[in-house]
Amino acid sequence: MELLGAIRHQSNLSTSAERFSPVLRDALHDTLRGLGRNRAFSSTTEKAIELLRQSPYLALRHVSCECHAGVLILRGRLPTFYTKQVMHALLRNIEGVRRVDDCTQVAEHARPRRRTA
């Protein structure tokens, strides 16, 4: 709460971002980035998000991810197991990721009926 009060006070003094004190600007940046997450891990998260957003598979663009203590957490819904495998292939070599916690779900599709003779 103190940070929000300081931000309000600072913004009342000036609406220009350049006038924020460096300490307040960094605190605001950290707050908006994820409430004080480690910057090394937030850059890991940003890299994962960038890779997913650049994918030609549209479903991967809607997967959310965050990284805490080297664990990349993935959430969302994917249409097939194949897209899930593609996602893992995209994210497997990100520096700073020790483990992937995949909480994504694969959509259930109706199975095609087998023809009987």
Side-chain angles (χ1 to χ4, degrees), residues 11-29:
S11 65
N12 288 339
L13 296 175
S14 172
T15 57
S16 173
E18 294 84 34
R19 297 232 166 159
F20 280 8
S21 70
V23 173
L24 183 58
R25 187 173 49 245
D26 289 345
L28 177 60
H29 183 267

Side-chain angles (χ1 to χ4, degrees), residues 11-106:
S11 65
N12 288 339
L13 296 175
S14 172
T15 57
S16 173
E18 294 84 34
R19 297 232 166 159
F20 280 8
S21 70
V23 173
L24 183 58
R25 187 173 49 245
D26 289 345
L28 177 60
H29 183 267
D30 286 345
T31 301
L32 295 176
R33 282 289 219 204
L35 301 172
R37 290 186 191 133
N38 185 325
R39 285 181 189 265
F41 294 135
S42 68
S43 67
T44 303
T45 302
E46 289 173 7
K47 180 64 177 168
I49 290 170
E50 179 184 339
L51 288 170
L52 291 172
R53 298 306 176 261
Q54 292 175 354
S55 171
Y57 295 93
L58 297 179
L60 294 182
R61 297 178 187 182
H62 300 288
V63 172
S64 67
C65 58
E66 54 188 69
C67 190
H68 299 285
V71 179
L72 186 64
I73 303 167
L74 306 169
R75 292 186 179 90
R77 192 167 181 87
L78 298 171
T80 64
F81 282 105
Y82 176 74
T83 53
K84 193 170 191 164
Q85 290 173 324
V86 169
M87 177 183 66
H88 282 272
L90 282 173
L91 302 175
R92 71 174 165 222
N93 294 322
I94 297 176
E95 187 177 335
V97 175
R98 293 180 299 145
R99 184 176 64 124
V100 175
D101 186 3
D102 185 358
C103 299
T104 59
Q105 297 176 349
V106 175

